[in-house]
């Protein structure tokens, strides 16, 4: 599998002005299926969104000379933006007809699409709503296997489910960039096992000082620029 270079030093997740702001800006669209009568649990949706981002990063069409590779490179050369919209019924069927990848969780379904210019969304996606992605967990998430990658959320930053899905995707992407080719292959072949959980305050402080990949949001939506949102805790990165 051909892989793209690791994240450069000028992180696309910083809020400070960067040379990345001078490049054409792209966004990675994600659409979560939320049927009115049967919405997915929040944690399942977050985990599925994170795996969807990893899935497109690892897809052959997104690498080397693949049909999505140029768009992926343009997106990663600028700010790394992800926008989550919701769809149901006919909206979801139209979204599924567009080029992309659908990733299924336990109950959640998320479709990820190749990056598009900020003002160049396909008409069947631009019509979809960003709001209305508020989801709940009907019961507490399961215990985590210690060998599983965990995207830890900041317990002090409130986010809608859509925003949290994008942040989980950011965390997964940072972990992917820091892994070796061999580690990436192992994670991909295992189906990208991961969990998304909210850290308790003491654990969160430890995580932010651990050297693990940390997302500081650029502040385009919902939260203040520079807010620490997630830490990517992959087993291979813990051992460094």
């Amino acid at each position: 599998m051909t892989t793209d270079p690791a994240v450069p030093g000028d992180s696309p997740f910083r809020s400070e002005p960067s040379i990345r702001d001078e490049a054409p800006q792209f966004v990675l669209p994600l659409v979560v299926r939320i049927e009115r009568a049967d919405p997915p649990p929040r944690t399942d949706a977050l985990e599925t969104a994170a795996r969807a981002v990893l899935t497109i990063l690892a897809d052959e069409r997104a690498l080397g000379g693949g049909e999505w590779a140029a768009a992926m490179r343009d997106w990663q050369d600028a700010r790394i933006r992800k926008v989550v919209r919701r769809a149901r019924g006919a909206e979801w069927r139209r979204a599924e007809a567009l080029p992309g990848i659908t990733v299924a969780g336990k109950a959640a379904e998320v479709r990820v699409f190749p990056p598009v210019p900020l003002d160049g969304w396909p008409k069947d996606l631009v019509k979809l709503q960003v709001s209305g992605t508020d989801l709940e967990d009907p019961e507490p998430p399961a215990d985590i296997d210690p060998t599983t990658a965990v995207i830890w959320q900041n317990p002090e930053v409130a986010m809608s489910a859509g925003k949290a899905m994008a942040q989980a995707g950011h965390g997964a992407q940072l972990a992917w960039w820091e892994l070796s080719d061999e580690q990436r292959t192992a994670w991909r072949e295992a189906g990208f096992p991961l969990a998304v959980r909210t850290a308790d305050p003491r654990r969160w402080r430890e995580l932010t000082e651990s050297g693990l990949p940390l997302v500081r949001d650029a502040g385009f939506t919902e939260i203040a620029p520079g807010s620490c949102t997630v830490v990517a805790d992959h087993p291979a990165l813990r051992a460094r």
Side-chain angles (χ1 to χ4, degrees), residues 158-173:
M159 295 181 283
S160 68
K163 179 71 172 180
M165 289 169 69
Q167 298 302 304
H170 291 340
Q173 187 166 2

Side-chain angles (χ1 to χ4, degrees), residues 115-201:
V116 296
L118 281 177
D119 58 355
W121 284 65
K123 61 183 179 63
D124 284 329
L125 297 185
V126 77
K127 297 175 183 177
L128 301 178
Q129 296 295 312
V130 178
S131 60
T133 55
D134 293 328
L135 301 170
E136 298 180 357
D137 282 317
E139 38 187 75
D143 292 340
I144 306 168
D145 185 319
T147 63
T148 297
V150 184
I151 309 298
W152 291 104
Q153 300 179 105
N154 186 340
E156 299 174 353
V157 174
M159 295 181 283
S160 68
K163 179 71 172 180
M165 289 169 69
Q167 298 302 304
H170 291 340
Q173 187 166 2
L174 282 185
W176 178 256
W177 275 336
E178 293 208 15
L179 295 174
S180 68
D181 284 356
E182 183 180 356
Q183 291 163 342
R184 289 180 181 184
T185 297
W187 201 14
R188 175 177 57 83
E189 290 181 350
F192 296 120
L194 59 82
V196 178
R197 297 290 187 273
T198 300
D200 65 57

